[in-house]
Amino acid sequence: MKRQLRALAAAGVLLAGSLVAVAFGGTASADTQICEQFGSTVIQGRYVVQNNRWGTTAQQCINATNNGFEITTLNGSSPTNGAPTAYPSVFYGCHYTNCSPGTNLPIQVSQISSATSSISYRYVSGATYNASYDIWLDPSPKRDGVNQMEIMIWLNRQGSIQPIGSVVGTTNLAGRTWQVWRGSNGSNNVISYVAQSAISSLNFNVMEFVNDTRNRGAITNSWYLTSIQAGFEPWQGGVGLAVTSFSANVNGGGQPNNPTTPPPGGGASCAVKYTANSWNNGFTADVLISNTGSSAINGWTLNYSLPGGQQVTNAWNATVSQSGSSVTARNISHNGSIAPGGTASFGYQGTLSGSYSSPTNFSLNGSSCSRS
């Protein structure tokens, strides 16, 4: 799949920020090497590690571990007055249709009760790079393309590189003082928070940075948090740089949101009708989601598992991804809202090996659905 590179705002202005991985990838149960330009894999069944090389044609490889990743091969380099070579990273949420399993993002800022994250880095000497934590936001619950707002937290800066735009002041967040930069790269706005000295680990409240960005008039509470990411932007060198641990938890609705546990009370607010047609080596499926609750559903994610031997190949009226047997289907722009008593539908085609059977258990936005 093609990805559009973000343009430089002007000559001599550095491009700081990430593009995205495009492959859905498998699950990394042990160290997994990724050399594909936009290759990715899932770790802990919860996060996506992406190679994300976009600023050079030279080979770059990363080693995905259960807790993060390490840069193992980096042959490219870029002048320090231009864009970096890549943004190898680990993320939670959705970016360019690649969504981490079971994520509840995108979620409206006003609906977030808490958002916490922790990160640990391993640094190397003799290279030019930043260690950057990215927070992406958009006015819509966007799961593809460039978001309109990028928050960058620079935990380490090595070499003569600088963020997009210019310095607009300092602020105290997460118990530290940050230099604040603000600008645009031509595709999205960027606010960068640059640490005064290198930080190797940070356990923090993501909403401190989101709220500071909102207070600067860059977003409103009606915007959506789409993904949070941690990685590196290398310009020159960088083999051995590593994210040694990463975690992220975003809770909505005033209480923890566990994607595998139905809300208190246990009553399903959804029903799923699954209609399939199979033949020797393939099948199609039509899926009808009904809102059986009393409140509107604004943005939906349906999770279930396909029996062995079934693989989704293409879909319509939803963004459908598969990792192993786990399937995640997310609404597209025109069918994200389901009124009480209303329905939304999507379908897909797949390949089949062996006898056919239909999935039996479905959950919508973390709540178990009945079958209809």
Side-chain angles (χ1 to χ4, degrees), residues 329-347:
R330 294 179 173 86
N331 68 273
I332 55 178
S333 59
H334 73 264
N335 64 358
S337 295
I338 311 176
T343 62
S345 63
F346 68 96

Side-chain angles (χ1 to χ4, degrees), residues 6-335:
R6 299 182 306 178
L8 293 175
V13 176
L14 298 183
L15 175 64
S18 63
L19 283 181
V20 301
V22 299
F24 286 117
T27 298
S29 57
D31 290 5
T32 301
Q33 180 173 265
I34 305 172
C35 296
E36 295 83 7
Q37 181 177 6
F38 296 114
S40 69
T41 193
V42 174
I43 63 172
Q44 299 180 32
R46 179 175 173 83
Y47 308 116
V48 175
V49 171
Q50 57 181 1
N51 193 28
N52 201 9
R53 171 179 58 82
W54 52 268
T56 177
T57 58
Q59 186 184 51
Q60 172 181 290
C61 298
I62 62 174
N63 197 47
T65 67
N66 189 53
N67 297 312
F69 70 92
E70 176 184 2
I71 299 176
T72 57
T73 303
L74 206 164
N75 295 325
S77 65
S78 297
T80 56
N81 64 345
T85 63
Y87 183 59
S89 50
V90 54
F91 73 83
Y92 176 80
C94 295
H95 218 170
Y96 279 76
T97 72
N98 194 1
C99 295
S100 56
T103 184
N104 59 342
L105 304 186
I107 185 172
Q108 203 163 33
V109 171
S110 63
Q111 299 302 308
I112 299 174
S113 61
S114 66
T116 57
S117 187
S118 64
I119 180 72
S120 295
Y121 290 98
R122 184 176 73 234
Y123 298 133
V124 299
S125 59
T128 300
Y129 64 91
N130 70 39
S132 176
Y133 191 104
D134 272 19
I135 304 169
W136 286 94
L137 302 111
D138 196 80
S140 65
K142 197 167 189 178
R143 297 181 176 91
D144 60 353
V146 177
N147 288 189
Q148 291 190 26
M149 186 71 227
E150 178 184 15
I151 301 171
M152 299 191 72
I153 307 172
W154 287 38
L155 288 89
N156 190 4
R157 172 171 55 167
Q158 296 296 315
S160 57
I161 57 175
Q162 68 182 45
I164 286 287
S166 57
V167 177
V168 295
T170 60
T171 190
N172 293 310
L173 301 171
R176 300 173 183 270
T177 300
W178 308 84
Q179 186 182 62
V180 184
W181 293 64
R182 188 167 183 173
S184 172
N185 61 31
S187 297
N188 56 269
N189 295 320
V190 186
I191 292 181
S192 302
Y193 300 85
V194 182
Q196 294 179 316
S197 58
I199 300 171
S200 59
S201 63
L202 189 67
N203 189 343
F204 68 105
N205 177 4
V206 174
M207 294 307 294
E208 286 193 52
F209 292 89
V210 173
N211 291 338
D212 187 79
T213 298
R214 180 201 61 202
N215 293 341
R216 296 175 188 273
I219 66 167
T220 70
N221 281 339
S222 65
W223 283 46
Y224 290 82
L225 174 65
T226 63
S227 71
I228 46 183
Q229 313 180 356
F232 300 95
E233 289 184 326
W235 271 261
Q236 299 168 4
V239 170
L241 291 170
V243 170
T244 57
S245 69
F246 173 81
S247 68
N249 291 282
V250 180
N251 298 318
Q255 57 188 347
N257 187 338
N258 185 334
T260 63
T261 303
S269 60
C270 52
V272 173
K273 182 178 181 180
Y274 192 94
T275 305
N277 178 40
S278 65
W279 55 94
N280 288 340
N281 57 1
F283 71 100
T284 60
D286 292 307
V287 185
L288 181 70
I289 303 169
S290 298
N291 181 1
T292 59
S294 58
S295 300
I297 296 171
N298 294 307
W300 51 264
T301 299
L302 186 71
N303 295 103
Y304 54 97
S305 295
L306 284 178
Q310 298 182 26
Q311 182 68 44
V312 175
T313 56
N314 61 81
W316 50 92
N317 290 331
T319 300
V320 180
S321 61
Q322 182 175 353
S323 178
S325 63
S326 299
V327 174
T328 301
R330 294 179 173 86
N331 68 273
I332 55 178
S333 59
H334 73 264
N335 64 358

